Amino acid sequence: MAESDEEYVQDISDDEVEAHQVTRGAGGGSRATGQGSRGAGWEVTRTWENVVEGADGTISSTVEGLLEAGKRKRLLKDTTPLQRGIIRHLLLVLDLSTAMSEKDLRPTRYLLTLRYTTAFITEFFEQNPISQLGIIGTRDGLALTISPLSGNPNDHIANLQQLRDQEPKGQPSLQNALDMARAALFHAPTHTTREVLILFGSLLSSDPGDIHSTISALVSSHITVSIIGLAAQVAICLTLATRTNPSLPPSQTYTVALNEQHYRDLLMRATTPPTTPHSTDGNSGVKSSLLMMGFPSRIVDLSPTLCACHSRPTRGGYLCSRCSSKVCSLPTQCPACGLTLILSTHLARSYHHLFPLRNWKEVSWARASASSDQSFCFGCQTPFPERPAMPRPQSTSDCQRHDRMTLATSRSQPRAPKQAAPSANKDGVSESGRYECETCGRFFCIDCDVFAHEIVHNCPGCQSREGELARVGVSGGDGEMEVVVEDGA
């Protein structure tokens, strides 16, 4: 039989022919760029060319540099203080159709999405403790509520774990999912954000009506939609993200995941609150207003009493500062009087998004040598690496011998193309392993850099410096007492 790229089909119906047709192009899960019917072009990244042996003959220094570059890449982001909506209402829409059973993302798109969504829920409430989250699924052309809007991450994770026993099936329906999300966000207060994040793995949407009318309704309700695609780019998804986010470029609202790590990075990017849009006509989706909140204290009763949120007998809880109703956990809304109940730590964790910690700059060897007193990391007290010794200069006879050998080699072999010298601060990595806070001038290691910017959101050097200033101000000379009070203290 002659060679052929097409499948051999004989004596079957038209429906079976359509089922056996091979689609060549940007299909679900394809990661190659086709160059024709008989050839395919593959993007090859020669990562092995970036590996360089160190002075000891090993590649350990290169591996450590790549790991440090990965940590530093997550930190090099814009730290400009912007007005953001720290009280968010976010609905997460999951694609539960048969397209999620593809294995281009290991183990499958479906299982990977469930795992990443669980991590996203934990990180979302860690960064936005006074916000609310809900989960919606779509399959068989329908939309179903997986977890309603609430501020308890344990309930969302428990409801999400039940999907592991189910299999993806049918086709998704963007219109039904968006209508359900719009109905859930309809009663959200004006001082909160209304957001929808869609994890879409299919290339089509089975809608009962005109989806463009649904998009217009979302725009009028000031609901923003962001999409993370797992297959090729879909035109209706691009239209949806563009129309609901007119002030943002499409690359920030609709992105297709390239691999597992890129998928996780895109999902975790949604934990940062969006910027508040400004409008000249005053018809903005988020309006600035004063919000009354209560800060209750935890109590422990001698005997169990019913809580107002679940009507379950519990001993511990929190009393509402307005009506003294007992609730189980915070943050929440008082079921009796409707007062928002939070802790001061919740408000502080949400506040850091408005004034992010500035990026620390790389320290060169010249700067490190000038500050010889800072030989340890100020945060963890880990000693910094010593400056590598300069190579020993060669003698005149060694240089002449090396020149003769190089000349003989160049005559027998073709000359390789010149490569550019590696930059000392490539990807924001410091050549000395030190990173300096421009405010206090302290040096830190890369691990403390990541910990300060992603966990505590404060500089240990600046905080200790403020404490020293406060102590010096209180114990002033000449019998006078000075008190240094920072703004907001």
Side-chain angles (χ1 to χ4, degrees), residues 246-319:
S247 59
L248 296 177
S251 60
Q252 296 185 11
T253 56
Y254 181 32
T255 313
V256 177
L258 302 178
N259 47 52
E260 290 84 352
Q261 184 61 38
H262 188 219
Y263 183 20
R264 181 182 177 87
D265 294 341
L266 292 176
L267 190 57
M268 292 304 171
R269 189 175 64 179
T271 58
T272 303
T275 57
T276 302
H278 297 275
S279 66
T280 56
D281 55 357
N283 191 21
S284 177
V286 181
K287 298 181 180 179
S288 300
S289 59
L290 296 177
L291 179 63
M292 185 176 294
M293 293 185 177
F295 299 86
S297 301
R298 181 172 176 79
I299 61 168
V300 178
D301 298 328
L302 298 177
S303 59
T305 57
L306 294 178
C307 66
C309 48
H310 302 96
S311 298
R312 292 198 299 252
T314 57
R315 295 184 59 188
Y318 301 87
L319 290 182

Side-chain angles (χ1 to χ4, degrees), residues 446-458:
I446 181 62
D447 294 327
C448 290
D449 189 1
V450 174
F451 183 75
H453 284 84
E454 294 187 353
I455 305 299
V456 298
H457 304 285
N458 283 287

